[in-house]
Amino acid sequence: MGPRPASLPRSSPARLLSLRLRVSDASICPFCSLIPFAATARPRAVPKRASDSSRRWQSIAATSPSPRSELEAVLVELQNHSPNLVNLSRLQLALQGLRQTPGSEVVRIAILGLSTSTSAGETAKKLLKALLSDPLSEAEDWERELDEHDDGKPLIIRVAPDRNRDIDLRISKDDAIHELHVSSPALNALNIEILLMQVSAPFGMPGEVSIRSLEEAVLAPTVDIPSAEHRVSPVTTPVHQALLVADGLTGAINVAALPVCETNDSIRGAVQLQGISKEQLDATFDVIDVAKAERGIRIFRQSPQNAMEYERLWFASNVSDIMTWVKAGATSSEAATKPAVRRLVASLLQNTTSAIQAQEARKVSRTLTVGSDSGNLGDLNDRLATWAQEAHTELQNELDLAFTGRRWRKLGWWKLFWRVDDVAMLTNEMLSQRFMPTAEQELIYLTGRVAQCKAQLPEYPQPTSTEAGRASSLSVHQRVSRRTYAMPKWPGHIAFTRRYLQNETVPALQSLAQRLVLRSLGTSGLTTSLAALLYMSSWASTLYEAGAVAALGIVYSLGRMQKQWETARGFWEGEVREEGRKALRAAEESVSTVLDASGPGKTMEQEAEELNKARELVARAEDALARIR
């Protein structure tokens, strides 16, 4: 290939070739750079004949912390002091970058295909291939592996020169995250790692999606890591920059509704649209055509004489703008912090400030609510006693109505022959409509008043789950069904007991009714057959004698069925009443425990002090960030 003309753009093939020749031999391996290490400074040699004053100034300069180490210390203190106000995964990534050598930090970039677009994953994969491909060489093995990669699985790409890769870290398991080591002459010296996956970004009308929610969803995506057979563990993978890739008109509408342009260039959008330019749409995202970039790389590999056509297709595809954005975040002058790392810390501090302001607004709202409420804990104790009295009265009255009502009369012993399959339905309806519905609603209202007076949401003692080997003497309100249910934010004993009765006792009652009917029919049929045999074998001289044998069997079977079924009905009725009383007592004790608790939690003054401390730490971190190089 001839010398590069003066009019060739910066990303021309000749430029790529020159970048390849100028890659430094001292490039840091991206995998090794993931290990946190302290930034070491080269000690300055002091002349042997230095004066005492110069030595004193040098000792002071050596002991004073640098702005970078000061920022790291403040972020660690902020993490320990207010972990609920910061995104811990992004904070760890920021600390990792600050602990590395300035200018050599690892920059993580995510290329995310929007899950709402049908072919966004394939477009993101083709875009990544175009960014990393070297048009001056033939197609490499990693390009084939990237083409064969499943779009639905995440992929990690570590960009580094081949000579710095001593160990092949590519995982070949089918159920694990795949890794590729790629040598790209344009990006080898930038210490970049790329995450390729699909993501579900928060969507809504323009202005509805906040910047913080977008950053937490896109700059800290969740990757499912296989932990066991047929099991996955979600792991948050924070990145410095993210590129949202969509396809078609639907993808353009989804990306346009996101506040991408307000994220200080940390998040960028790219939509695959053919024959349309960004100026025509007046869009805040990049309009790309990956097919043109692929065609340009392919024809240049066929012959270097196609360099001009390659450049035309490359810039027409707008992939060059994405390449410029990638390089801008990972390129810095010597011994200066990379822009991507600086933007990450700034975004982290800004989101922390927003969280502090939101916490202060909630604190003021709670203060005004508590001040305007006339109730106090003494009134709540009276309300609790009134509720318990009314709940016991409701339990007695409602169950009396239930067990003397029409549904319960339908389950008489002589009606089981045609209503045996309705036992579960009728008893479940009785429990749903008559098992303290009003008391449960009043309990929820009472716990709301408790939370209002205490200016917080207390945790109530809940029914504990059944464990293997536990004594069977526990009451029902202390036992949990074999099914798993989410505990509510109020005493859930009433609903829990109702669920226990429906899931455990009602099926047993239904099964008993079916067994009694089958046993009665079997006994009656057996005695009737015996009477017929006696009559036919002349053991019974008359029809009346044979009929007496059959009648005796039928009466015996029906009597036994009546006795057992009425006993079972009476036992179930008593169990429902007793478990209802136990549930009421347990719920009353749970609320009383919260009301009598001596430690109501953090006071308003303590919360104000913690928020002021967090605000002070953020201010110190912003000052240190402004002073680092």
Side-chain angles (χ1 to χ4, degrees), residues 428-440:
N428 278 323
E429 288 180 356
M430 291 169 54
L431 292 174
S432 300
Q433 298 178 10
R434 299 292 184 181
F435 194 79
M436 298 179 291
T438 305
E440 186 177 10

Side-chain angles (χ1 to χ4, degrees), residues 104-157:
S104 300
E105 300 94 344
V106 176
V107 176
R108 296 182 181 178
I109 301 174
I111 298 182
L112 308 173
L114 290 180
S115 57
T116 55
S117 300
T118 55
S119 58
E122 183 68 22
T123 303
K125 186 169 64 175
K126 292 180 179 179
L127 176 60
L128 176 61
K129 179 181 176 182
L131 290 173
L132 299 179
S133 297
D134 182 14
L136 298 177
S137 62
E138 299 296 331
E140 302 182 23
D141 295 337
W142 67 264
E143 298 183 28
R144 176 182 52 81
E145 296 182 12
L146 183 60
D147 291 335
E148 297 175 356
H149 177 70
D150 186 7
D151 301 338
K153 296 182 179 179
L155 176 67
I156 298 176
I157 296 95

